[in-house]
Amino acid sequence: MRFLLRTFVLLPALLLALVVIPSAAFSVALGASAGSLDGWLADGSSDATGFLAFTSPPPGTVPTPPGTVPTPPGTVPRPPRPTPPALTFLKDQATIYPHIIKKVIGDRLSPTIYAFTENGYLYRSDHDGRLWSLVTTAAPVEDFLMSSADPDVLYSGAGVDCRNPRAANQPFFRSTDGGVTWRELPMAINLRPLLIDPTDPMRLFAADCHMLYLSMDGGRSWQEKPDNAAGQLWLTHRVIGMAAAALTEEDDETASIPHWRQLYAIGVDRSGNGVVAFSDDEGETWVNLVDPATALEAPRAIVAHQMQAGLIWVVTAQGVWTTSDYGVNWTLYNRGLREFTALRAPALNAITYSNDGALYLATLRGLYTKPGADAAWKKVTGTSFDELHLSGLLLTESNPSLLWVNSAEDGVFVYRLANR
């Protein structure tokens, strides 16, 4: 009887307890968890986004292994970038920051100066280089003449290579807007501009291998100027340089008004010997200022004093020839220049003068000067261009204490004249 009671009563009750009680407990626990979750989501202390971010990492991220400190986003260390070296310039080098000036072009009678920089840009200053403005980033020319009467008018032409009979034709350009645009002039092909009238920017002289020409209309048409005097100098000599004494006048009231009544020109013959000529009729006739027995070897440049009539300087392979009386008397100054006069290659390249009478000479190796009363040339030292090949000089009447020095390959330098 006890066996039957344990079998049919107690065993089913035990089985029921094992199944019903755990199920009820799990249901209660699940209900409590659901209620707690609903209450937390409804609380303003959090939101679904934060919750999801907490329970599931964003796509593409890797969960941080236990025991490590995560790196905050955006703070991953990067290798340091190298600092570019600071731009360095020589103490007297001319720059339009951050570019080195490669060449300056101007005229003694104007405060306007043009500058080509190393990156090919063309700049302009109307205040002797104190302030610069960009003209163009791509000028089609590398050199030109500027009109002192109107600095917006520029002429450019390299001229044909007279030593090569098969040399290619060379174009001639004019700009009337200060170098912003350039127009090629077909009637001036192979010409090289030499001198612009200081009173009229449309009048200028130019030359080729055989003839001197004058244009009255800005290079659109040209008149041959063969020298109608008895000497007919330009039949035997090729004109390579010109100068004008634009401010020489006996009347002090008109001394500051430019004119074109005293013209000078240098030419070379087939052997390389030179001639210096003078014209007072705008190039119709020319007078030889050099004694035929005196040979000027390989003249390269001529400069006329703007205010003193008859005073000119001619740079030659022998040194610097000068006259103060229209060529009646000539003096050769080459003391201190022996190392250059012994060379066959061009070594003396350009000359200018300061208002106190001192001369400055650009040479193959630096700048030389000669005080007015001194017969010897002395080298200018203590500059960054002491040993450089100098190609040109520019000094303006509006800022006569500053000399611009063009070098052949190393840019432009400024030299301040002492006690000027």
Side-chain angles (χ1 to χ4, degrees):
M1 189 67 180
R2 290 180 181 178
F3 176 78
L4 292 175
L5 179 60
R6 289 195 296 267
T7 303
F8 294 102
V9 176
L10 295 178
L11 183 58
L14 180 60
L15 294 175
L16 180 62
L18 293 174
V19 174
V20 173
I21 293 174
S23 299
F26 180 76
S27 298
V28 172
L30 182 61
S33 298
S36 299
L37 178 61
D38 290 341
W40 190 44
L41 286 176
D43 189 353
S45 63
S46 184
D47 57 27
T49 303
F51 180 76
L52 293 175
F54 174 77
T55 58
S56 179
T61 63
V62 179
T64 303
T68 62
V69 178
T71 301
T75 60
V76 178
R78 296 180 179 178
R81 296 181 179 179
T83 302
L87 295 175
T88 58
F89 305 101
L90 300 175
K91 62 180 180 179
D92 44 12
Q93 195 164 40
T95 64
I96 301 175
Y97 191 84
H99 301 294
I100 295 173
I101 298 177
K102 298 297 292 184
K103 179 189 295 184
V104 291
I105 299 172
D107 187 280
R108 190 180 183 99
L109 300 183
S110 173
T112 297
I113 299 175
Y114 286 89
F116 283 98
T117 55
E118 59 184 343
N119 59 339
Y121 289 10
L122 177 63
Y123 289 84
R124 169 176 170 161
S125 172
D126 291 319
H127 309 283
D128 286 304
R130 295 184 182 91
L131 297 172
W132 295 95
S133 58
L134 178 63
V135 175
T136 178
T137 60
V141 303
E142 297 181 354
D143 195 14
F144 52 80
L145 285 186
M146 182 196 81
S147 167
S148 61
D150 183 356
D152 284 341
V153 179
L154 315 172
Y155 296 95
S156 177
V160 69
D161 185 356
C162 299
R163 298 167 297 180
N164 182 5
R166 298 183 179 180
N169 292 331
Q170 296 296 319
F172 188 100
F173 297 93
R174 183 188 69 194
S175 175
T176 57
D177 55 13
V180 177
T181 60
W182 294 84
R183 178 185 176 186
E184 185 173 350
L185 304 178
M187 298 301 295
I189 190 170
N190 289 336
L191 294 184
R192 185 168 64 92
L194 298 176
L195 187 66
I196 306 173
D197 187 338
T199 67
D200 184 352
M202 293 293 106
R203 300 207 307 168
L204 74 153
F205 281 100
D208 61 10
C209 300
H210 309 287
M211 184 64 64
L212 181 67
Y213 298 87
L214 173 64
S215 176
M216 308 290 286
D217 54 10
R220 286 189 292 267
S221 63
W222 297 86
Q223 307 170 20
E224 292 186 354
K225 292 295 180 179
D227 181 17
N228 294 318
Q232 295 186 313
L233 294 175
W234 310 141
L235 288 181
T236 55
H237 293 78
R238 174 170 58 90
V239 182
I240 61 172
M242 294 187 69
L247 300 178
T248 57
E249 194 66 52
E250 295 181 0
D251 185 355
D252 292 338
E253 295 182 359
T254 60
S256 61
I257 301 176
H259 59 79
W260 206 1
R261 291 189 290 273
Q262 294 191 14
L263 303 178
Y264 299 89
I266 54 174
V268 294
D269 60 16
R270 293 180 180 273
S271 63
N273 291 327
V275 65
V276 181
F278 171 78
S279 175
D280 60 0
D281 54 11
E282 298 189 355
E284 289 295 327
T285 58
W286 293 87
V287 177
N288 186 2
L289 300 183
V290 179
D291 185 340
T294 303
L296 301 185
E297 297 180 10
R300 290 182 55 81
I302 182 171
V303 169
H305 197 289
Q306 295 296 304
M307 301 179 185
Q308 184 174 338
L311 176 55
I312 58 177
W313 300 273
V314 181
V315 179
T316 73
Q318 303 153 294
V320 178
W321 288 91
T322 183
T323 178
S324 58
D325 52 15
Y326 294 97
V328 175
N329 296 284
W330 285 93
T331 303
L332 175 63
Y333 291 101
N334 58 10
R335 285 180 53 195
L337 303 176
R338 303 295 184 181
E339 62 174 312
F340 304 112
T341 57
L343 299 175
R344 293 185 178 181
L348 308 178
N349 300 317
I351 193 170
T352 191
Y353 64 93
S354 63
N355 290 343
D356 65 352
L359 298 177
Y360 294 89
L361 182 65
T363 78
L364 189 65
R365 287 191 292 271
L367 180 68
Y368 281 70
T369 184
K370 189 183 80 64
D374 198 336
W377 292 92
K378 297 179 181 179
K379 186 170 185 175
V380 175
T381 58
T383 71
S384 301
F385 50 87
D386 281 0
E387 298 299 322
L388 297 184
H389 180 182
L390 305 185
S391 56
L393 303 171
L394 174 63
L395 185 147
T396 65
E397 291 290 338
S398 52
N399 190 10
S401 64
L402 187 67
L403 179 64
W404 297 85
V405 181
N406 282 328
S407 71
E409 298 179 353
D410 297 276
V412 177
F413 299 85
V414 291
Y415 179 66
R416 297 193 178 277
L417 309 187
N419 301 322
R420 305 290 194 273

